[in-house]
Amino acid sequence: MGSSIKEDPKSTFAWFFEAAYPTSLQDAPPILRQFPKDFSDEELMQTVPKFCFPFDLERAGHSLAAQHFTFVLTDLAGSRRFGFCRLGTSARSCLCILSDLPWFEVFYKLLNSLGDLLAQDQVSEAEELLSTLYLHPVPGPEAPLGLSLDPQESKLRITSHPSSLPPAPGTNQLLSCFIAPDSGRLPSIPENRNLTELVVAVASENIVGLYSSLLSERRVLLTASKLSTLTACVHASCGLLYPMHWEHILIPTLPPHLLDYCCAPMPYLIGVHTSLIERVRDKALEDVVILNVDTNTLESPFQDVDTLPPDVVSLLRLRLRKEALAAGEGVSRLFLRAQAVLFGGYRDALIYSHGQPMKFSEEAFLAQKPGPLQAFRQNAIHLQLFKQFIDERLEKLNSGEGFSDPFEQEITSNGLASGSHRSYQLWADNLKKGGGALLHSVKAKTQPAVRNMYRSAKIGLKGVQNRLRYKDSDLLLKRGGSLRVPALDNRSERLQHRLPITHHFGQSRPLRPRRSQSHFEDEAPQREEQREPLSGPKEPWGLEDLDSNFLGSGELDLLGEILDNLSIGMSGPGESPTLHPSHSLDSCHLGRGSCFNLVSPLLKSPAHTHWTTHFN
């Protein structure tokens, strides 16, 4: 998802070759076979094969067999080319595909198909497979592609709709099939191999520490004994920075002849196999962050996590453990939200004068949020990744191209730019204080009409509380604070269509199920045993818990909503009232302490936005 990827490549891959392990670490690995056969880039042929064996075989032993890993080549323009490798038996040979496309899963699967054909001495079939894919136009995003062998003509054919069923006798034999990745989508678990390996291999606390070090543009080393895990963690950690990308040295696997790169004075992100890490540590390393994936330890001379706003750190630490265990885009969206909170205010710092190109004002960007976020941004404006991000956004806006991506959608859906009802401070307050901050935010942040409604509701609630303490326990509460003695099945129509305050604004309300009095009495003892003291929400409030129509809703009946969420326990003499989570509002006996239902939050679809600018 980074802009350093070359656009519109001519072919799916540029070069395939098989290299043998060199006789010594100083020698270049010999090339056993290649495609195209007339490939003649001498510089690549001399340098690239050395990246295929980034370890010391004598120290690593034979545990490296049948592994996939990648390396990256960066040209002077900043464009990156990816090398996808598959080690053979006993790590004595390596298959490699060089491509401008970061299609990890696709090329790993293709390498397996080629490895199987070559292992069966089907060299001509492997060459036919490579030739067919090389000459075929580059598939578009999410385009399915199948490579099948026609037994009658002995030729490979490409189909755009490969079947997942086994081929019938006499029909085409499917050799390989894949779906071209969409670079505009967020990585998901388990579809994205790199992200999956990162959350499995590295503890959540260390992922947050690694993320903060990359945001500070440190010199970062990762080490692991498994090359596939090592390179996956390097690539996945870069993805956490989206929509920004790592602008400095990136070497997912460092070959032995380039170990001196670890002493470079500029920021870098480098992966080193454990068989070489001792040689690296013997060098004069200063101010280097080292993550050992095998031992799950992070060594850092800096306190980069402390430079992040405390609310962002709390969000990542509390949610990452849960999201890492679930399939989908949860982990990617969690870090996307952190990036939106940290940098989403750039929109409000864009300045446009008629007839002039749009510009970015650092002063306006820093003046938005006083406190920890402002302190973080004072350092962030000097980062190369942030400067490059701003330049790319300005270039698109000034050209009239416009853009719409998950980052912009996250800013809009969570109100992280001016003109929205919710702000960073509202989100931070709710994250720190939990559900109690919601009422405080209503009082402090809403429009004047809503604040007046809050005051009236608060006065009415106090009156209801006083009356509840002295009324007979058979009395039932109706909306508006009035007390009556109706039958249990005569409920207010307004109660039928109401959910608690934190959940239903701008959404339809489901009907509450009707229950008979006898059914309620049968369940009452069981409910009393299940009640727990309500000391606050179990988890801090996230942005998704606050609806975008929260402050602008015209249906706000705050007194009724407060009564839906609060319960005043009838305590004995000398005891203070307690709050309990509720189970039903339909039939509540106030003599034993009322109980009110808390409903799970409803799911919401994120808002979408498209930014574009046109100049006359």
Side-chain angles (χ1 to χ4, degrees):
M1 299 180 71
S3 63
S4 58
I5 299 174
K6 185 177 180 180
E7 297 182 359
D8 300 325
K10 296 180 180 180
S11 60
T12 304
F13 68 95
W15 184 32
F16 165 82
F17 65 90
E18 181 181 8
Y21 189 82
T23 55
S24 66
L25 295 179
Q26 289 72 31
D27 297 336
I31 298 177
L32 304 179
R33 58 171 58 90
Q34 70 174 20
F35 181 91
K37 291 185 177 181
D38 58 350
F39 187 83
S40 57
D41 191 322
E42 292 296 332
E43 183 180 0
L44 289 178
M45 295 178 69
Q46 289 293 328
T47 58
V48 170
K50 295 181 179 180
F51 284 85
C52 295
F53 303 96
F55 51 85
D56 186 340
L57 186 59
E58 295 181 358
R59 294 189 178 186
H62 301 287
S63 60
L64 298 170
Q67 286 195 55
H68 296 105
F69 63 94
T70 61
F71 58 86
V72 174
L73 305 177
T74 306
D75 61 19
L76 296 178
S79 297
R80 288 170 179 164
R81 177 171 282 185
F82 301 85
F84 303 92
C85 300
R86 179 182 185 268
L87 282 175
T89 305
S90 301
R92 289 297 179 180
S93 66
C94 179
L95 302 179
C96 179
I97 292 179
L98 198 63
S99 174
D100 296 315
L101 301 169
W103 292 0
F104 296 88
E105 291 78 14
V106 170
F107 287 115
Y108 287 157
K109 187 173 184 178
L110 180 60
L111 285 171
N112 286 339
S113 299
L114 292 171
D116 293 340
L117 292 175
L118 294 176
Q120 300 171 14
D121 202 24
Q122 295 179 310
V123 179
S124 59
E125 286 81 357
E127 292 179 349
E128 184 71 17
L129 174 62
L130 290 168
S131 177
T132 303
L133 185 60
Y134 184 80
L135 298 176
H136 191 272
V138 178
E142 298 187 343
L145 202 67
L147 298 173
S148 57
L149 177 64
D150 189 339
Q152 297 179 354
E153 300 182 7
S154 299
K155 291 184 177 180
L156 278 173
R157 299 184 181 276
I158 292 184
T159 58
S160 58
H161 300 284
S163 174
S164 59
L165 299 176
T171 60
N172 296 351
Q173 178 186 359
L174 187 65
L175 296 180
S176 182
C177 63
F178 59 85
I179 297 178
D182 183 0
S183 60
R185 297 188 59 180
L186 294 175
S188 61
I189 298 173
E191 291 79 11
N192 187 280
R193 177 172 178 171
N194 294 335
L195 182 61
T196 303
E197 290 232 32
L198 175 68
V199 299
V200 169
V202 183
S204 300
E205 186 74 17
N206 290 335
I207 294 178
V208 176
L210 178 62
Y211 166 72
S212 64
S213 296
L214 294 178
L215 272 185
S216 301
E217 294 188 335
R218 304 296 186 188
R219 293 185 290 169
V220 181
L221 281 177
L222 274 68
T223 180
S225 58
K226 192 174 180 181
L227 288 173
S228 58
T229 301
L230 177 62
T231 57
C233 290
V234 171
H235 287 292
S237 59
C238 288
L240 302 180
L241 301 176
Y242 175 81
M244 305 168 187
H245 48 270
W246 186 251
E247 295 288 342
H248 306 280
I249 297 174
L250 175 63
I251 308 177
T253 49
L254 188 67
H257 70 286
L258 296 180
L259 292 184
D260 288 338
Y261 269 63
C262 296
C263 300
M266 67 282 292
Y268 59 67
L269 177 58
I270 296 177
V272 179
H273 190 260
T274 52
S275 62
L276 301 173
I277 192 61
E278 293 302 326
R279 294 172 56 182
V280 172
R281 288 184 179 273
D282 290 340
K283 299 180 180 295
L285 297 181
E286 295 181 0
D287 299 334
V288 176
V289 179
I290 301 178
L291 173 62
N292 190 319
V293 178
D294 293 339
T295 60
N296 225 322
T297 55
L298 181 68
E299 306 173 27
S300 176
F302 309 100
Q303 302 297 325
D304 292 326
V305 175
D306 296 338
T307 64
L308 298 176
D311 306 300
V312 174
V313 177
S314 299
L315 172 69
L316 293 175
R317 285 175 173 172
L318 292 172
R319 295 283 300 278
L320 185 55
R321 295 187 185 93
K322 180 182 296 184
E323 298 293 350
L325 299 176
E329 299 177 349
V331 173
S332 297
R333 291 207 170 272
L334 179 60
F335 282 94
L336 178 65
R337 175 169 306 174
Q339 291 288 89
V341 171
L342 295 175
F343 303 104
Y346 89 94
R347 283 186 184 177
D348 300 330
L350 297 177
I351 299 176
Y352 170 65
S353 300
H354 185 69
Q356 299 293 327
M358 184 171 290
K359 299 180 180 179
F360 174 76
S361 172
E362 293 183 356
E363 293 77 11
F365 183 65
L366 295 177
Q368 294 173 15
K369 309 291 183 182
L373 184 57
Q374 185 183 61
F376 170 81
R377 288 179 173 178
Q378 287 176 345
N379 296 324
I381 60 175
H382 303 293
L383 298 176
Q384 184 65 29
L385 58 85
F386 180 71
K387 292 181 179 179
Q388 183 67 25
F389 165 76
I390 293 298
D391 291 343
E392 292 173 357
R393 286 308 201 244
L394 290 177
E395 181 181 357
K396 291 183 178 181
L397 289 173
N398 290 326
S399 65
E401 177 182 352
F403 48 85
S404 178
D405 55 30
F407 180 68
E408 301 298 332
Q409 296 165 11
E410 187 73 18
I411 296 174
T412 300
S413 63
N414 289 312
L416 296 172
S418 64
S420 61
H421 293 304
R422 291 170 297 169
S423 64
Y424 167 80
Q425 190 59 45
L426 176 62
W427 170 77
D429 288 344
N430 283 282
L431 179 65
K432 290 186 293 186
K433 301 176 183 178
L438 184 60
L439 297 181
H440 173 76
S441 300
V442 170
K443 181 178 180 180
K445 301 284 184 182
T446 55
Q447 303 166 356
V450 182
R451 290 200 297 267
N452 293 336
M453 190 178 299
Y454 174 85
R455 297 189 187 100
S456 301
K458 185 175 181 181
I459 296 173
L461 177 61
K462 290 183 178 179
V464 172
Q465 292 174 347
N466 293 332
R467 283 187 283 180
L468 285 175
R469 295 179 185 278
Y470 301 106
K471 289 294 180 179
D472 183 79
S473 59
D474 292 331
L475 296 181
L476 291 178
L477 179 64
K478 291 206 69 174
R479 178 164 288 194
S482 62
L483 295 171
R484 300 183 182 180
V485 194
L488 287 176
D489 56 347
N490 292 332
R491 294 182 296 271
S492 168
E493 289 297 323
R494 300 182 71 183
L495 288 178
Q496 283 282 356
H497 303 281
R498 196 174 75 233
L499 288 176
I501 185 172
T502 56
H503 307 298
H504 76 255
F505 289 111
Q507 303 174 10
S508 59
R509 302 164 178 163
L511 294 178
R512 297 175 180 268
R514 295 181 177 272
R515 302 184 185 179
S516 63
Q517 180 176 358
S518 59
H519 179 69
F520 173 81
E521 292 174 352
D522 293 338
E523 292 185 353
Q526 181 179 358
R527 293 174 181 171
E528 289 294 324
E529 294 176 359
Q530 295 176 349
R531 292 191 300 180
E532 299 175 358
L534 184 60
S535 58
K538 294 183 180 180
E539 295 183 3
W541 289 83
L543 284 170
E544 69 272 17
D545 297 316
L546 300 176
D547 187 80
S548 59
N549 297 323
F550 172 65
L551 301 180
S553 174
E555 303 180 8
L556 185 61
D557 185 358
L558 196 53
L559 174 59
E561 306 304 340
I562 294 174
L563 294 177
D564 256 357
N565 286 276
L566 297 180
S567 171
I568 303 172
M570 296 294 102
S571 55
E575 297 179 359
S576 59
T578 58
L579 296 177
H580 301 279
S582 64
H583 303 271
S584 175
L585 189 65
D586 299 335
S587 306
C588 80
H589 287 76
L590 300 178
R592 301 177 60 182
S594 63
C595 43
F596 297 84
N597 191 27
L598 296 175
V599 182
S600 300
L602 300 177
L603 298 176
K604 304 185 293 298
S605 300
H608 295 269
T609 183
H610 183 84
W611 273 62
T612 183
T613 303
H614 302 279
F615 302 108
N616 297 325

